[in-house]
């Protein structure tokens, strides 16, 4: 049974801004997918990193390859996206920005266009079924695929920005940070920005990305994913910190993901501490709740216990995240109202 402390974090209304669709698939949904495709011989140990386990970042990226084998048709995507949205809602997330890399799969007839349309259909169905969560979508560019694909993806994202009734709000840059260089993707990212897509970029997830971050921070991005190695203590630089601070760019922080993926040695060494102490905009996120076996309530609880945050501070953290969303102003106001109403009951 939940303790009183657990209950507080579950009831806390939350904003999730960094969630990769295929990394967020729950154990139960995985089970269904594995039963659908028994010939693949995929087991849970290949799709999730359990409590106490750690992997290298490279091994984490192998996990996504396995999951992609399991999720390769419109039918799979619809099921997975609906289930992920419902999971987040059940965890008390009131606003979610989901991100995913559109894929084409010849064998199942899946195209990138249909991929996005199917995710949007899942969002529409959840809304129709009155799931208590507002969901927006970021189209993801996988850096591994290079500049040509990045440009095509931006074009696709631009089309949906215009046609999705405000559901597609931005572009994510993600994928294995040890592959490729951001300079090759700069033109695509500039195009995205110029057409009104908000930019959420994975930056300095590994130490070797310093020059790339210098360059991409000039865009500037609207939010930073991870930013683990931006500050000088871990091999970043004052110039990077200055750019982030001067432009007040919110950072999406994923504690469990970074510890399990071993880019951060332990929870108490997480860079959340560095940025939070400076009063910089930080938002707690899950990254890949399925792969890393976590949820957003746990992430808040972990941050609170590791860094000694009071409940009032935890509340502020979740409320301030509303300001870092890519939602239009009236939606932000609606969320603020919801938080104000719930505060009486929960805090
Ligand atoms: C960078 C990550 C990531 O797009 O198929 N992804 N990229 N760093 C991370 N830290 C662990 N976690 C996930 O979801 C899976 C994809 O999201 C990106 C990778 O490109 C991965 O293939 P989608 O829904």
């Amino acid at each position: 049974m939940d303790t009183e402390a657990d209950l507080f974090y579950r009831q806390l209304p939350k904003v999730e801004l960094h969630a990769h669709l295929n990394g967020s698939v729950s154990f139960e949904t995985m089970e269904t997918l594995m039963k659908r495709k028994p010939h693949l011989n995929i087991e849970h140990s290949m799709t999730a990193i359990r409590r106490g386990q750690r992997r290298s970042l490279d091994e984490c990226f192998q996990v996504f390859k396995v999951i992609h084998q399991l999720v390769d048709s419109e039918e799979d995507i619809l099921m997975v996206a609906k289930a992920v949205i419902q999971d987040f809602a059940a965890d008390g997330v009131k606003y979610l920005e989901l991100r995913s890399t559109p894929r084409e799969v010849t064998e199942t007839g899946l195209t990138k266009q249909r991929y996005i349309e199917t995710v949007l259909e899942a969002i529409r169905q959840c809304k129709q079924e009155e799931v208590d969560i507002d969901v927006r979508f970021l189209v993801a560019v996988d850096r591994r695929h290079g500049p040509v694909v990045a440009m095509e993806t931006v074009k696709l994202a631009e089309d949906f920005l215009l046609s999705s009734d405000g559901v597609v709000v931005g572009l994510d840059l993600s994928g294995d940070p040890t592959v490729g260089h951001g300079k090759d993707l700069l033109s695509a990212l500039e195009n995205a920005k110029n057409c009104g897509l908000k930019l959420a970029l994975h930056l300095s997830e590994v130490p070797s990305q310093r020059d790339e971050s210098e360059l991409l921070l000039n865009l500037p991005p609207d939010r930073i994913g991870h930013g683990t190695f931006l500050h000088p203590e871990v091999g970043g630089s004052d110039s990077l910190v200055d750019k982030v601070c001067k432009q007040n760019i919110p950072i999406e922080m994923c504690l469990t993901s970074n510890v399990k993926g071993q880019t951060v040695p332990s929870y108490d060494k997480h860079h959340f501490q560095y940025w939070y102490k400076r009063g910089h905009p930080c938002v707690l996120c899950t990254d890949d709740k399925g792969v890393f076996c976590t949820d957003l309530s746990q992430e808040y609880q972990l941050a609170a216990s590791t860094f000694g945050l009071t409940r009032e501070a935890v509340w502020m953290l979740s409320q301030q995240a509303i300001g870092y969303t890519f939602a239009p102003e009236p939606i932000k106001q609606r969320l603020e109202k919801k938080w104000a109403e719930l505060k009486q009951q929960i805090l």
Side-chain angles (χ1 to χ4, degrees):
M1 208 171 71
D2 275 358
T3 62
E4 194 263 332
D6 291 339
L7 198 64
F8 167 73
Y9 293 98
R10 292 226 169 271
Q11 289 183 334
L12 177 75
K14 292 170 286 293
V15 166
E16 169 65 79
L17 299 182
H18 190 130
H20 298 273
L21 174 62
N22 286 295
S24 302
V25 183
S26 70
F27 183 92
E28 293 73 24
T29 310
M30 273 300 168
E31 194 104 307
T32 311
L33 290 164
M34 288 172 192
K35 282 191 185 133
R36 274 188 189 177
K37 298 184 173 75
H39 58 281
L40 292 175
N41 277 326
I42 293 171
E43 300 164 7
H44 285 293
S45 61
M46 298 155 80
T47 62
I49 304 166
R50 309 244 120 228
R51 185 189 282 262
Q53 293 181 342
R54 296 188 183 186
R55 306 265 174 95
S56 66
L57 206 54
D58 189 44
E59 286 166 332
C60 294
F61 285 99
Q62 299 303 321
V63 172
F64 297 119
K65 281 194 190 145
V66 175
I67 299 174
H68 286 162
Q69 284 181 277
L70 285 167
V71 184
D72 71 349
S73 67
E74 286 180 30
E75 192 191 356
D76 296 336
I77 291 159
L78 185 67
M79 179 184 77
V80 160
K82 281 190 78 178
V84 165
I85 293 168
Q86 284 158 351
D87 296 342
F88 276 114
D91 187 37
V93 174
K94 303 293 177 201
Y95 177 91
L96 163 67
E97 278 172 22
L98 204 52
R99 54 184 82 189
S100 194
T101 326
R103 269 180 293 139
E104 58 195 7
V105 181
T106 322
E107 298 78 33
T108 64
L110 182 66
T111 63
K112 292 185 180 183
Q113 170 94 17
R114 284 300 297 152
Y115 187 104
I116 299 177
E117 283 168 358
T118 308
V119 176
L120 298 183
E121 174 60 18
I123 296 172
R124 195 194 63 77
Q125 287 188 19
C126 287
K127 192 170 177 185
Q128 196 179 32
E129 291 163 21
E130 297 184 0
V131 183
D132 181 20
I133 188 168
D134 186 319
V135 188
R136 310 278 152 166
F137 187 60
L138 308 180
V139 178
V141 168
D142 185 336
R143 51 185 296 135
R144 250 184 336 135
H145 299 150
V148 175
V149 173
M151 204 57 106
E152 286 165 9
T153 308
V154 168
K155 180 75 194 72
L156 203 54
E158 184 182 354
D159 293 346
F160 281 101
L161 177 71
L162 302 171
S163 66
S164 67
D165 235 354
V167 178
V168 172
V169 286
L171 193 86
D172 153 76
L173 172 65
S174 55
D176 188 340
T178 62
V179 180
H181 196 289
K183 66 178 184 312
D184 301 324
L185 307 171
L186 198 58
S187 306
L189 297 173
E190 278 167 352
N191 279 5
K193 196 162 178 81
N194 291 339
C195 74
L197 288 158
K198 297 283 187 188
L199 294 184
L201 308 184
H202 284 61
L203 285 193
S204 287
E205 197 178 353
V206 293
S208 58
Q209 285 177 293
R210 200 164 85 172
D211 293 349
E212 176 184 294
S213 293
E214 264 314 331
L215 185 72
L216 297 185
L217 279 169
N218 296 337
L219 279 161
D222 298 282
R223 283 199 317 254
I224 293 169
H226 303 296
T228 315
F229 295 93
L230 287 169
H231 55 294
E233 283 89 327
V234 286
S237 69
D238 287 329
S239 143
L240 287 172
V241 172
D242 270 4
K243 278 186 184 170
V244 175
C245 290
K246 284 209 179 96
Q247 303 180 99
N248 209 31
I249 310 172
I251 308 181
E252 305 151 355
M253 308 265 182
C254 313
L255 274 70
T256 300
S257 162
N258 296 156
V259 170
K260 286 195 170 181
Q262 296 186 49
T263 50
V264 168
S266 58
Y267 287 103
D268 60 327
K269 301 259 164 42
H270 196 277
H271 52 291
F272 172 82
Q273 171 96 320
Y274 176 91
W275 293 98
Y276 183 75
K277 271 217 291 241
R278 299 180 144 239
H280 190 80
C282 297
V283 51
L284 294 174
C285 302
T286 54
D287 204 7
D288 299 286
K289 73 174 180 60
V291 172
F292 297 113
C293 302
T294 187
D295 59 32
L296 196 52
S297 299
Q298 269 192 59
E299 295 302 302
Y300 271 87
Q301 196 163 5
L302 255 172
S305 62
T306 309
F307 303 109
L309 308 182
T310 62
R311 287 195 176 184
E312 187 66 47
V314 169
W315 185 278
M316 284 292 285
L317 206 51
S318 100
Q319 187 175 357
Q320 282 167 348
I322 298 170
Y324 315 145
T325 66
F326 296 156
E329 228 23 71
I331 302 292
K332 288 187 186 174
Q333 281 166 16
R334 208 187 297 161
L335 292 169
E336 289 286 359
K337 215 167 139 232
K338 194 171 262 190
W339 259 244
E341 284 161 12
L342 290 169
K343 193 169 183 179
Q344 319 288 333
Q345 303 164 27
I346 296 166
L347 199 63

